[in-house]
Amino acid sequence: NEMGDVVQLEHRVSKLEGVLHLEKMITTSGDKVFATNGEKADFDTAVKKCKEAGGAIASPRNPKENDAILYFVKKFNTYAYLGIKASLIPSKFQFLDGTPLTYTNWHSNEPSGKGEE
């Protein structure tokens, strides 16, 4: 029966999510799930891998989502690519889809493009 299949699938997804939480490979913020495979890659490869997995590269839209990304930065002691790019307007940034940023959390005197943003 269709309802039973849905319940079984939800149970399997829930179990998988639990395992990934234990392995510290996913974290959540609101209804968003942030995940990593822990591998290093360049920006274009990261965007491609996220899309292949059915998601998108992380684009923090509030402090809690930023903290979810920071979780992986601290765990793997590395940087994280974000789904933002420079705008045509100098010193402005936008999401990859072209919409303006509604949340930023830059360090002082950033962004500089030197990796300390």
Side-chain angles (χ1 to χ4, degrees), residues 2-58:
E2 195 172 302
M3 187 59 167
D5 290 344
V6 170
V7 170
Q8 263 188 331
L9 181 59
E10 286 176 348
H11 176 71
R12 291 175 65 192
V13 168
S14 179
K15 274 178 62 174
L16 177 59
E17 207 171 277
V19 168
L20 292 172
H21 272 292
L22 286 173
E23 295 293 321
K24 296 181 174 44
M25 301 305 278
I26 67 170
T27 190
T28 58
S29 178
D31 62 349
K32 288 186 180 178
V33 175
F34 294 83
T36 184
N37 62 9
E39 296 175 11
K40 292 190 179 215
D42 62 40
F43 180 77
D44 292 331
T45 301
V47 169
K48 181 181 172 193
K49 290 288 186 183
C50 290
K51 187 174 181 180
E52 287 173 356
I57 196 161

Side-chain angles (χ1 to χ4, degrees), residues 79 105-117:
Y79 57 87
N105 188 26
W106 305 117
H107 283 283
S108 296
N109 302 315
E110 297 292 353
S112 67
K114 296 178 183 170
E116 297 295 323
E117 282 74 18

Side-chain angles (χ1 to χ4, degrees), residues 92-111:
K92 296 288 181 187
F93 290 80
Q94 61 191 21
F95 291 110
L96 295 181
D97 66 4
T99 58
L101 294 183
T102 54
Y103 166 78
T104 60
N105 188 26
W106 305 117
H107 283 283
S108 296
N109 302 315
E110 297 292 353

